[in-house]
Amino acid sequence: MGTSHDLTLAGDRVLRVHDSGRGDARTVVWLHGTPQTGTLLAPVLQAADARGIRVVSYGRPGYGGSSTVPGRTIGSAAEDVRLAADALGLGRFAVVGASGGGSHALAAAAQLPDRVTAAVALAGVAPYTEEFDWFAGMADPTSLRAAREGREARMAHALTHEFDPASFVATDWAALEGAWGPLGADAGEAGGAGHDGEVDDDVAYASGWAFELADVRTPVLLVQGGADRVVPASHAQYLLAHLPDAQLWLRPRDGHISVLNALPTALDWLLAQPR
């Protein structure tokens, strides 16, 4: 499953980094969703190994052994990606993010243009805007609505909130019972360790991102489930309209988890992009 490293950063902040350590066709930095620990997931490794791709990941602040950083933005992820890449001696690499990880992948692409060659966002969240109804189509938008009120309100909400099973469609549950079972187990581990990571993620999604979509000049592949009830397809349509070089693969029957079944094909797309 690779190796893990704890990087000690300024102010004694810890960033836990994971590295498959194998594959010479391409290096991909995987940006995890909410909540996740950042550890390397078996279905990600299997798809990468089959293509000779090295995978690096890390736990965002507040997750999986990485120190909490209240007030972090989506844009601040770019510096953590840079620090992890520098520690592992990476030059140029692609970024892939699932769910909220897609937003953080776009941050790295925008702010590390000399390092990031291409980006994939699967079921990625769009920046908060009033240009469209950002919450429309979400089965349970209460967490993100609380996040709009700030960290204290979102933390109070976390203390009583329970996951709404209606957020997942039948294909999502099938994916969690099959190949993507490790993702569900990892989400449970991340959620059970405390609320900081998830709270800070949500506040970051629903606040200013500290970069503009127009700053993302690398090629971007958006992969979106048409039946997604966590991050609705309207978010992908907004990203497509505002990213300079993006294409959208819409999978009409997929939900928020089952869309990840497209990862192997998305990695094939990455391999076809210039290094």
Side-chain angles (χ1 to χ4, degrees), residues 15 85 127 135-136 151 170 188-189 255:
L15 191 72
F135 299 103
R151 192 177 197 271
E189 180 180 343

Side-chain angles (χ1 to χ4, degrees), residues 16-131:
R16 182 161 295 172
V17 178
H18 310 276
D19 180 12
S20 73
R22 56 186 182 267
D24 56 11
R26 186 79 55 134
T27 298
V28 164
V29 176
W30 172 266
L31 287 304
H32 66 79
T34 302
Q36 299 272 252
T37 67
T39 193
L40 297 173
L41 300 174
V44 176
L45 287 173
Q46 289 164 5
D49 285 346
R51 291 159 177 79
I53 294 173
R54 178 182 179 183
V55 184
V56 170
S57 182
Y58 70 94
R60 278 195 298 280
Y63 288 119
S66 294
S67 304
T68 300
V69 181
R72 60 181 168 87
T73 65
I74 300 296
S76 63
E79 179 63 5
D80 286 347
V81 170
R82 186 189 69 78
L83 290 167
D86 287 352
L88 295 174
L90 305 183
R92 289 168 62 78
F93 49 87
V95 290
V96 179
S99 186
S103 310
H104 295 87
L106 295 177
Q111 298 186 69
L112 303 173
D114 58 332
R115 307 284 291 275
V116 174
T117 59
V120 175
L122 301 113
V125 184
Y128 180 80
T129 179
E130 295 184 354
E131 295 180 34

